[in-house]
Amino acid sequence: MTATHVPVLAGELIEALDPRPGETTIDCTVGGAGHARLLAERIGSGGTLIGIDRDPVAAEHFERLAAEVAATTRFERTSFAEGLEHLVDEGVRADLVVLDLGMSSLQVDTHDRGFSYVYDAPLDMRMDPDQDLTAADVVNTWDERRLARLLREYGEERYAGPIARAIVRRRDETELQTTQELVDVIKAAVPAPARFAGGHPAKRSFQALRIAVNDELEQLDRALPLAWAALREGGRIGAISFHSLEDRRVKRFLADRARGCICPPDLPICVCGREPEAELLTRRAVMPTPGEIADNPRSKSARLRVARRIGDPA
């Protein structure tokens, strides 16, 4: 038996989704296969588990899982938006769809992939090592205005302008090639009092770069309607996000599906005919318990939202 990855909000996800024997499940972000294993155990030999991930290491985890569980399994090595699009085109209809967003622990803990600001490594950050764009490409070729906008919009970085200027000044002397070189530039650009407040000073910049390199928010915007299209009536979708940019998108998408009449409030009767498509199974985002955070500090920012499809898909 292989060692299992302990996934974030595992109990809460399983309780809200309520996977049942014989169901078809799509895990859009396999990662270390922790959620996939729990789902496979509950859908059993009559169920089907479809995994999607662009990371070849995730493919290895899924292959080991497939050899150990009774459920029928299938893996798509691609981004979750492309994978969902393929499945919808095939006519696959699922009872459960799960998205565990952001980078996985296995990616962070593989130091030479450059996801972490804690270890010195090449500036890479690619979830799919076969793609061309790397973090080094971004910091060494994007102009100052574009870099500042990236850090501001994707990292919600207060000092986006000064950091972008510092990056451009540094690369004019010599290209940035490692995570430590970038961390040093960021630290020097951030005012001294801010370096010791709100976590590591490079945290938001690294988040922004990772999102840009992997096209994460655009992927999510494409994937949510595709995931919804893949659900049969009564199917459930669960999404775990790790920062506000992801969570806002998931929240808005599910709230919009749960909304009924959109007529102006002064109309005496509904003329739009709009009916809710979703029932929100989590009225508010579910967050990790203090115990989980103590055991796994990386879970601290996790937010889970779950909904059920109540309309019959076309």
Side-chain angles (χ1 to χ4, degrees):
M1 189 75 157
T2 57
T4 58
H5 162 64
V6 180
V8 171
L9 289 169
E12 292 86 347
L13 179 74
I14 294 300
E15 180 180 1
L17 287 177
D18 188 25
R20 301 162 191 169
E23 291 191 322
T24 296
T25 298
I26 303 173
D27 185 340
C28 298
T29 45
V30 168
H35 290 122
R37 180 176 296 277
L38 295 173
L39 294 164
E41 289 171 350
R42 283 156 180 78
I43 63 177
S45 60
T48 298
L49 174 66
I50 303 172
I52 303 171
D53 206 298
R54 53 184 152 179
D55 193 323
V57 179
E60 295 171 8
H61 281 266
F62 193 87
E63 184 178 359
R64 289 195 290 270
L65 167 67
E68 298 171 357
V69 299
T72 300
T73 59
R74 169 183 172 183
F75 186 79
E76 297 279 336
R77 196 200 148 192
T78 186
S79 67
F80 55 80
E82 279 78 15
L84 284 166
E85 188 171 30
H86 296 161
L87 296 175
V88 170
D89 288 345
E90 287 179 19
V92 172
R93 289 295 175 264
D95 301 286
L96 303 171
V97 176
V98 176
L99 298 102
D100 183 6
L101 302 167
M103 59 183 171
S104 67
S105 291
L106 66 91
Q107 290 167 336
V108 178
D109 293 335
T110 306
H111 300 171
D112 60 3
R113 297 185 68 175
F115 284 100
S116 176
Y117 43 79
V118 176
Y119 309 105
D120 193 23
L123 268 174
D124 193 324
M125 301 192 192
R126 293 174 295 175
M127 292 180 178
D128 180 354
D130 293 334
Q131 78 173 40
D132 293 329
L133 184 68
T134 68
D137 295 328
V138 174
V139 299
N140 288 305
T141 65
W142 287 20
D143 64 41
E144 182 180 325
R145 181 177 297 180
R146 190 179 182 191
L147 281 172
R149 185 170 64 248
L150 164 66
L151 299 177
R152 189 177 302 111
E153 294 180 0
Y154 287 0
E156 300 178 296
E157 172 55 65
R158 179 181 178 184
Y159 301 102
I163 292 171
R165 284 193 296 274
I167 288 172
V168 171
R169 284 197 303 268
R170 169 60 187 272
R171 79 187 192 199
D172 284 345
E173 300 172 1
T174 181
E175 286 193 350
L176 290 156
Q177 296 295 339
T178 71
T179 55
Q180 188 58 57
E181 290 171 354
L182 180 58
V183 167
D184 290 343
V185 171
I186 294 169
K187 283 183 175 179
V190 173
R195 294 176 203 162
F196 306 100
H200 196 286
K203 178 179 179 180
R204 294 180 181 276
S205 296
F206 270 61
Q207 172 185 296
L209 284 168
R210 191 202 77 227
I211 290 173
V213 168
N214 298 288
D215 199 29
E216 292 179 40
L217 296 180
E218 289 77 5
Q219 282 282 319
L220 181 57
D221 288 339
R222 288 180 56 201
L224 286 169
L226 288 165
W228 194 254
L231 282 177
R232 57 170 51 100
E233 185 175 7
R236 289 87 71 202
I237 182 172
I240 299 174
S241 58
F242 288 85
H243 55 76
S244 60
L245 299 175
E246 294 171 337
D247 185 53
R248 282 197 294 266
R249 282 165 163 79
V250 174
K251 179 181 179 180
R252 284 197 301 261
F253 180 85
L254 296 180
D256 184 62
R257 295 305 179 280
R259 188 179 179 187
C261 174
I262 56 173
C263 292
D266 56 341
L267 286 182
I269 60 170
C270 174
V271 295
C272 72
R274 175 175 167 136
E275 296 289 338
E277 298 177 39
E279 174 191 1
L280 299 180
L281 300 181
T282 52
R283 290 290 171 180
R284 296 181 178 179
V286 177
M287 295 179 285
T289 64
E292 179 171 4
I293 294 171
D295 290 338
N296 178 15
R298 290 176 182 168
S299 70
K300 183 177 181 179
S301 61
R303 302 290 183 270
L304 166 67
R305 298 184 188 274
V306 181
R308 176 187 290 115
R309 180 158 199 159
I310 58 177
D312 189 16

